[in-house]
Amino acid sequence: MPEEAPAPLRIAVIGFDHWYAAIPFARRVAADPAARLVALVDRDPARTAHVAHLTGCTRTSTDPATVLSDPDVDAIACFTSVDQNPELCVAAARAGKHIVSVKPLALTLADADRVVAEVERAGIVFVPSESRHTSPLALRLRELLDSGRLGEPRAGTFAMDSGLPSAWPGSTEGPGWWADPARTAGGAWIDHAVYQIDRVQALFRSPVAHVTGTVGNLVHPGLPVEDYGHAVFTLESGAVVTVEDTWIAPPGTSSTRALVVGSEGAVQYSTATGTLGFAPKGGEWAFSRLPDDTFDTLDVLLAAVREGTAPRSTVRTARQTLATCLAFYAAVRG
């Protein structure tokens, strides 16, 4: 007799503060036969009703405890504001539930360490939402590195420019929690630097030895957090990497670009032009269509739980990413 397919992984989404990630994640879970979206939780019933309409999920609540204590929930995806995340992750780990976590995982290293301890004690899967290792672009970059065509990475430039985030789709109320210093560790820079730092760790494979840089409010002077940040990281390998992230682009626009220079070649990509380019040492640039850099958190979670494939970024990776970000802010404060 043919083997029975494993039961779908039962997932609850807690919080829609980070709606940019939460809503697409919930829709992906609802559409994937290997998963089941069993509950939506948010303090605002109107937000859960909106996502319920998009996904067909009928169970909604304003109380995270209803799913954290439910034995019929296998995993939680937490997309609250950052200040709320550690307690929810600790509770989920203690309940034996796998976790997809908002980025970054905490405001402080002390809170991050609590999450690390509970996740590792429980032996559950933890997927940081800032990690993308199985997207087509990530796989292409890894192939160039692992094949030796880039050689030893020597320098990197990573940048993302966008307008101010919105508190909710279509909202005119401004950035909401993203600009509240009590609810996030920083502004424009950390908002997207977490993605780039995770990628730098994957490509350069060397710890940070020194960091410097600057932050400012170039377009939004009244904002209580920065709208511009530029970091310069010197790695233990001697490589130098810059990470620039801003909210100074025209409203509603966003673009990402990167350049990695190695001892044997270089690769660059840009979402503005939709191209990926590779140039061997002494050669010319050859460009092709930019591979998708889709979020892969659900794929990684399913592979880890169902097949035992260890995520390339873990709770300790997320903790290190936060530590790198906090070191940058400490450096610019002097």
Side-chain angles (χ1 to χ4, degrees):
M1 296 181 61
E3 292 185 9
E4 289 188 13
L9 188 71
R10 299 165 297 183
I11 302 173
V13 177
I14 300 179
F16 290 98
D17 292 322
H18 198 297
W19 63 267
Y20 291 96
I23 294 176
F25 181 87
R27 297 184 78 164
R28 277 217 59 205
V29 174
D32 195 318
R36 180 179 300 153
L37 183 62
V38 295
L40 304 170
V41 181
D42 190 86
R43 65 184 179 278
D44 185 345
R47 299 204 298 194
T48 53
H50 175 80
V51 183
H53 175 73
L54 295 174
T55 60
C57 181
T58 59
R59 178 181 173 186
T60 64
S61 175
T62 58
D63 184 4
T66 61
V67 295
L68 291 169
S69 61
D70 188 345
D72 292 328
V73 174
D74 302 312
I76 66 108
C78 188
F79 293 106
T80 62
S81 58
V82 176
D83 56 306
Q84 302 173 66
N85 190 57
E87 291 298 333
L88 291 168
C89 288
V90 165
R94 288 176 176 171
K97 302 190 188 307
H98 306 296
I99 299 169
V100 171
S101 169
V102 75
K103 51 82 179 176
L105 81 163
L107 294 181
T108 68
L109 290 183
D111 277 342
D113 287 339
R114 291 175 55 231
V115 176
V116 171
E118 294 296 340
V119 165
E120 292 186 342
R121 182 177 296 117
I124 51 95
V125 174
F126 182 100
V127 181
S129 65
E130 66 263 29
S131 65
R132 275 177 280 187
H133 295 284
T134 66
S135 73
L137 175 59
L139 293 175
R140 175 62 174 151
L141 294 174
R142 197 166 82 203
E143 184 274 328
L144 286 170
L145 183 66
D146 291 346
S147 69
R149 295 175 67 195
L150 276 178
E152 179 186 353
R154 298 283 176 80
T157 300
F158 297 83
M160 181 172 181
D161 299 294
S162 69
L164 283 174
S166 298
W168 190 248
S171 170
T172 59
E173 299 176 1
W177 74 273
W178 273 282
D180 184 347
R183 303 180 72 186
T184 178
W189 186 80
I190 197 171
D191 188 27
H192 294 116
V194 287
Y195 300 115
Q196 297 156 339
I197 290 169
D198 187 88
R199 180 152 287 169
V200 167
Q201 292 178 29
L203 294 175
F204 285 78
R205 302 170 185 173
S206 178
V208 172
H210 181 261
V211 58
T212 186
T214 188
V215 297
N217 289 85
L218 307 186
V219 173
H220 307 285
L223 206 65
V225 293
E226 82 281 354
D227 67 12
Y228 177 91
H230 189 114
V232 181
F233 296 103
T234 302
L235 308 185
E236 289 184 3
S237 66
V240 176
V241 176
T242 67
V243 175
E244 179 187 70
D245 289 285
T246 85
W247 288 338
I248 65 174
T253 69
S254 177
S255 64
T256 301
R257 62 193 182 279
L259 169 69
V260 178
V261 179
S263 57
E264 301 300 324
V267 61
Q268 62 171 292
Y269 59 88
S270 167
T271 60
T273 62
T275 58
L276 180 142
F278 176 75
K281 185 177 180 179
E284 299 290 332
W285 284 103
F287 290 93
S288 58
R289 184 183 65 81
L290 179 64
D292 291 335
D293 198 19
T294 46
F295 287 102
D296 60 358
T297 45
L298 178 59
D299 299 326
V300 171
L301 176 67
L302 290 171
V305 174
R306 293 163 66 100
E307 302 164 20
T309 304
R312 292 178 66 89
S313 287
T314 67
V315 67
R316 286 194 174 268
T317 314
R319 193 265 186 202
Q320 184 56 51
T321 296
L322 175 63
T324 301
C325 291
L326 295 180
F328 164 69
Y329 283 123
V332 298
R333 286 194 301 265

